[in-house]
Amino acid sequence: MKMKIGLEENVAFFKQMICTHDAKSERQYANIQKEEVMKLKKLQPSGSMGPAPPGKSSLHSLTSTASIWLPPMASPLLFSFFFFFFFLLSYAAVASPSTSPSPFTERAALIRYWNRKIPNNLPHPAFLVSKLTPLSASDATTFFNLAASDPSLLSSHLASFCSAAGLLCPTDLTPSLSSHPRDSDFAAYQNSNFTNYGTDSADGLSSFKNYSDGLNVPLDTFRRYGRDSAGHDDKFSFYAPDGNVVTANFTSYGTNTAGGTDEFTAYDESSNVPDLKFNNYAAEGTGREGVFTHYSDNANAGDQSFNSYGKNGNGATSDFSSYANNTNVIGSTFTHYGEEGNGVNDTFASYGDNGNVPENNFRSYGDDTNGGVDKFTSYRDQSNVGDNFFTSYEKGGNVGTADFTNYGNSFNPGSDNFKGYGQGSLNDQITFKEYFADNTSFTVYAKTGVEFKEYHNTSSSSTPTASAVEKKNAVEKKKQDAAKRFVEPGKFFRERSLKKGTVMPMPDIRDRMPPRSFLPRSISGKIPFSAASVDGIFRILPDTAMGKAVDSTLADCERAPSHGETKRCAASAEDMIDFAVSVLGNDIEVRSTANTKGSKGNILVGNVRGVNGGKVTQSVSCHQSLFPYLVYYCHSVPRVRVYVADILAVDTKEKINQGVAICHLDTSDWSPTHGAFVALGPGPGKIEVCHWIFEGDMTWTVADHA
């Protein structure tokens, strides 16, 4: 098979070679240029620089095939450049793609840039090369011209831009599904728009199974769903599980309904960056039952909000069996939840247990209810720090009940703020059976009708009794036991574990980020690094999971460096190379763990080698950020040792992986609540902390030529 090379790609490569004076390429082809020029002189009349007559010059046949006119040239050097260009056209036309990669790509141009900046001839690792742009030279030229003229013009070519460049772009919603028979069975749906779906339904069942399963950027909208229905049931078996950047909006869901059930068996479980909203959910309903069995369990770093959920409801029930358990940095907001309800029942059997830094905000929750019940059986049990705000909770209620059976039994306390708690209520009963919160502020709460049966605030007494001390010690022991369960085994370890023959757990080192590629600097440098520009160009809707991810990435990039840190957000591979060279010099190399084998199980450490003889050194570590194109947060890490270790299967002793581990020798500036100290003990500055380099991340060091 002959490899066809586009004319625009050749022109782009030729221009790039002239402009950059790629010394290596020039040396490589110098003899070929000289030889071909000598042949040309023999074929053409003396003093003539125009094309030779037909049939007498092989050069003429080449140029005529490409339909290119060769103009007169005043400079022999310029002529040789143009001749070399046409020679490459001929060579590329007969070269097999299996023999060598095409030099006429943006990826090839980046490799040449890499070689100029880091001229040590070390191999280019596949894990980084695979992230380079797949753009052809012609596509790169097209999109560069658009970006250079006006970056916003990329938006009008977004589909082709994202496809050609390998980017992460939101999916446009499909047209709304308006047909809604009495019984609807959706077996596998994704990125769908349900607007005015199920209005005025009577009886029947709408069933959603495997909805948006495992997608990168699902965007699902249920707007005015099931309005004014009577006795109609809706069932979601698996809604958006294992998603990456999940946006789900339930706006005006089940408003003014009578009877029926909303059943969410597993909602947004194990997602990466969820953004979930329930607005006017089951408002003004009568006798409607909402059942959430597993809501956003095992989710990572997102937000969920319930606004006007069950507002003005009559005899409605909302049951959360497992809400946001085992999550990481999840924010939950309940605003106007159950407000002005009559005889409503809201139950959280297990709320936020084993969470890491949960942020819960209950505002105007259950206000002005009549005879309702809010029940939290287990609230924040064994969670790690975080904040809780209860503002205007159960305010102005009548004969209502709020029951916390186990409140805040965290292994690492956060903060709890109660303001306007039960204020103005009449005959309400608010009960804390066991309350385990330190640093608590109770401001303007009901002086009657609030009962703490067991209050375990360790700061409440300056002279604790013997029994209080015993209880405190028991609580502390429970916290320590929970800590080991909370921090994933093997996520952090001591340097002495990197010894041949050690059996140790390995955490889940899989890359949870969606696949994306770098943009060439020529294009990324034209896109303003601001939320407004990025959202506009990539059509990222406001207040979605992707929009919040962009905001978070930009905030990290704009944050001032911490003490002793040098940082840069690399929006292109060229940026990353330049930053690593600026910190470490130009004789450097980059490493990452080879694959993910051994993750979430025990491994056997094989041969271990310290990079640069195991000397204390400096590295540049780069971590992925969530953005439409690849952006890495790179920062210098002083006083580290980097190791390369063979990872073996425990049972067969066969090598399954090659891990790269970095040991931080100075932890004095780390937070006392850092997971490393939770898992390993002592505290900042008292121990070194090691961890593996996860898939997708990397560390640069001075090259090891040993």
Side-chain angles (χ1 to χ4, degrees):
M1 178 184 291
K2 294 183 179 181
M3 181 174 64
K4 296 181 180 180
I5 304 296
L7 177 59
E8 291 182 357
E9 291 180 335
N10 289 311
V11 172
F13 173 73
F14 184 59
K15 288 180 178 178
Q16 189 256 356
M17 195 184 72
I18 294 176
C19 295
T20 59
H21 300 289
D22 189 332
K24 184 175 180 180
S25 298
E26 290 174 1
R27 287 195 304 270
Q28 185 176 356
Y29 298 111
N31 293 332
I32 297 175
Q33 293 180 51
K34 183 176 180 180
E35 180 181 347
E36 293 300 320
V37 170
M38 294 301 296
K39 290 179 182 179
L40 180 66
K41 288 182 178 179
K42 294 179 180 179
L43 291 170
Q44 290 190 344
S46 176
S48 172
M49 299 301 288
K56 293 187 178 182
S57 171
S58 59
L59 176 63
H60 176 76
S61 64
L62 286 176
T63 56
S64 61
T65 301
S67 300
I68 298 175
W69 173 67
L70 190 63
M73 290 175 280
S75 167
L77 178 60
L78 189 59
F79 171 80
S80 67
F81 272 124
F82 271 92
F83 181 83
F84 173 49
F85 166 56
F86 295 122
F87 173 79
L88 285 178
L89 273 176
S90 174
Y91 180 80
V94 297
S96 169
S98 61
T99 57
S100 61
S102 169
F104 307 106
T105 63
E106 287 295 305
R107 178 176 293 187
L110 189 280
I111 294 297
R112 292 191 292 273
Y113 183 85
W114 189 334
N115 291 338
R116 289 196 300 275
K117 299 291 289 189
I118 309 173
N120 54 19
N121 295 319
L122 291 175
H124 309 107
F127 71 84
L128 184 49
V129 171
S130 66
K131 299 178 185 300
L132 302 181
T133 180
L135 282 172
S136 66
S138 58
D139 283 340
T141 300
T142 298
F143 295 122
F144 164 75
N145 289 334
L146 286 172
S149 174
D150 181 356
S152 64
L153 294 176
L154 292 170
S155 182
S156 58
H157 302 271
L158 190 61
S160 59
F161 181 41
C162 292
S163 175
L167 309 183
L168 176 68
C169 298
T171 304
D172 291 334
L173 281 175
T174 61
S176 176
L177 300 177
S178 56
S179 175
H180 44 85
R182 179 176 179 274
D183 293 301
S184 301
D185 187 3
F186 297 91
Y189 254 68
Q190 60 190 34
N191 294 325
S192 296
N193 181 2
F194 291 82
T195 300
N196 286 325
Y197 186 92
T199 300
D200 296 319
S201 294
D203 301 322
L205 169 69
S206 295
S207 176
F208 296 84
K209 301 174 184 176
N210 299 101
Y211 193 96
S212 292
D213 188 3
L215 298 182
N216 267 327
V217 194
L219 180 61
D220 304 314
T221 296
F222 289 79
R223 185 172 297 147
R224 294 184 294 280
Y225 180 95
R227 187 180 181 93
D228 299 321
S229 66
H232 189 82
D233 296 329
D234 296 293
K235 182 177 181 179
F236 293 81
S237 297
F238 293 96
Y239 186 97
D242 299 307
N244 224 319
V245 188
V246 180
T247 298
N249 293 323
F250 285 82
T251 303
S252 189
Y253 182 99
T255 301
N256 198 31
T257 56
T261 301
D262 299 318
E263 182 179 349
F264 292 83
T265 304
Y267 185 95
D268 204 57
E269 189 172 13
S270 300
S271 61
N272 192 23
V273 188
D275 187 76
L276 316 175
K277 296 182 183 67
F278 286 82
N279 294 325
N280 290 318
Y281 184 97
E284 302 177 12
T286 299
R288 186 78 171 177
E289 182 180 7
V291 179
F292 294 81
T293 305
H294 294 283
Y295 186 96
S296 70
D297 287 354
N298 302 305
N300 180 46
D303 292 286
Q304 49 211 19
S305 64
F306 291 80
N307 184 33
S308 297
Y309 184 104
K311 185 175 181 179
N312 296 319
N314 183 35
T317 299
S318 299
D319 185 2
F320 292 84
S321 299
S322 176
Y323 183 94
N325 288 344
N326 304 306
T327 58
N328 182 41
V329 199
I330 286 288
S332 300
T333 300
F334 291 82
T335 306
H336 303 294
Y337 185 100
E339 191 173 32
E340 299 178 9
N342 180 44
V344 297
N345 292 276
D346 302 318
T347 301
F348 293 86
S350 178
Y351 185 102
D353 288 0
N354 296 307
N356 182 35
V357 199
E359 304 286 331
N360 303 313
N361 189 350
F362 292 81
R363 190 169 60 251
S364 299
Y365 182 101
D367 287 2
D368 299 317
T369 57
N370 181 41
V373 175
D374 295 315
K375 184 176 182 179
F376 293 83
T377 304
S378 176
Y379 184 91
R380 276 181 45 89
D381 192 27
Q382 306 307 319
S383 289
N384 179 45
V385 298
D387 298 296
N388 299 286
F389 294 89
F390 289 82
T391 305
S392 297
Y393 184 93
E394 297 288 346
K395 182 178 180 180
N398 179 42
V399 198
T401 299
D403 186 4
F404 290 84
T405 303
N406 176 352
Y407 182 97
N409 190 12
S410 305
F411 79 84
N412 208 356
S415 64
D416 295 273
N417 298 274
F418 292 82
K419 184 179 294 184
Y421 190 86
Q423 187 180 16
S425 60
L426 181 64
N427 299 319
D428 273 1
Q429 181 63 44
I430 301 168
T431 303
F432 292 85
K433 184 176 181 180
E434 289 189 277
Y435 188 95
F436 293 88
D438 288 342
N439 304 317
T440 304
S441 172
F442 286 90
T443 305
V444 193
Y445 71 100
K447 303 302 181 183
T448 60
V450 178
E451 180 181 0
F452 295 89
K453 294 185 177 180
E454 289 189 45
Y455 191 95
H456 300 275
N457 191 329
T458 57
S459 62
S460 62
S461 175
S462 58
T463 56
T465 63
S467 60
V469 171
E470 290 175 359
K471 286 184 177 181
K472 179 180 178 181
N473 291 338
V475 170
E476 289 301 321
K477 185 178 185 305
K478 190 175 181 180
K479 291 178 181 178
Q480 293 173 5
D481 294 339
K484 295 179 181 179
R485 186 175 70 250
F486 175 75
V487 180
E488 187 179 9
K491 186 171 184 179
F492 304 103
F493 51 90
R494 299 292 299 273
E495 198 169 14
R496 59 175 175 261
S497 296
L498 290 171
K499 181 179 179 181
K500 186 176 182 179
T502 300
V503 175
M504 61 187 294
M506 174 174 271
D508 185 0
I509 66 169
R510 294 174 301 167
D511 181 7
R512 293 293 303 274
M513 291 286 190
R516 293 146 299 148
S517 298
F518 278 116
L519 279 176
R521 178 191 276 170
S522 60
I523 298 176
S524 66
K526 301 296 182 183
I527 299 175
F529 208 54
S530 69
S533 296
V534 172
D535 290 349
I537 291 171
F538 292 96
R539 300 181 195 166
I540 299 173
L541 297 176
D543 202 24
T544 60
M546 192 64 191
K548 292 181 179 179
V550 168
D551 290 343
S552 177
T553 293
L554 292 170
D556 285 341
C557 293
E558 293 166 0
R559 174 185 58 80
S562 58
H563 178 70
E565 180 189 40
T566 303
K567 62 186 280 282
R568 178 176 181 179
C569 279
S572 67
E574 295 95 328
D575 289 349
M576 179 186 289
I577 291 169
D578 286 352
F579 179 69
V581 168
S582 71
V583 175
L584 302 172
N586 66 356
D587 187 16
I588 57 177
E589 59 184 318
V590 61
R591 297 178 177 85
S592 185
T593 297
N595 55 62
T596 60
K597 292 180 180 178
S599 287
K600 304 178 70 174
N602 286 335
I603 60 169
L604 175 64
V605 178
N607 292 324
V608 179
R609 178 177 64 85
V611 173
N612 291 309
K615 296 178 182 178
V616 178
T617 185
Q618 184 179 25
S619 73
V620 169
S621 289
C622 295
H623 313 280
Q624 283 190 77
S625 298
L626 194 49
F627 219 65
Y629 49 93
L630 268 182
V631 171
Y632 270 83
Y633 179 95
C634 296
H635 61 131
S636 65
V637 185
R639 291 191 51 74
V640 298
R641 277 193 281 263
V642 178
Y643 293 91
V644 177
D646 290 342
I647 295 175
L648 314 180
V650 175
D651 50 354
T652 65
K653 310 296 189 294
E654 293 182 356
K655 182 178 177 179
I656 59 174
N657 201 346
Q658 185 175 68
V660 177
I662 184 169
C663 292
H664 301 264
L665 307 182
D666 183 3
T667 60
S668 56
D669 288 332
W670 292 23
S671 168
T673 60
H674 193 286
F677 306 127
V678 171
L680 305 176
K686 297 179 180 179
I687 60 169
E688 85 293 343
V689 173
C690 305
H691 62 84
W692 299 107
I693 300 297
F694 283 22
E695 181 187 28
D697 293 343
M698 63 194 79
T699 188
W700 296 80
T701 64
V702 173
D704 189 348
H705 295 287

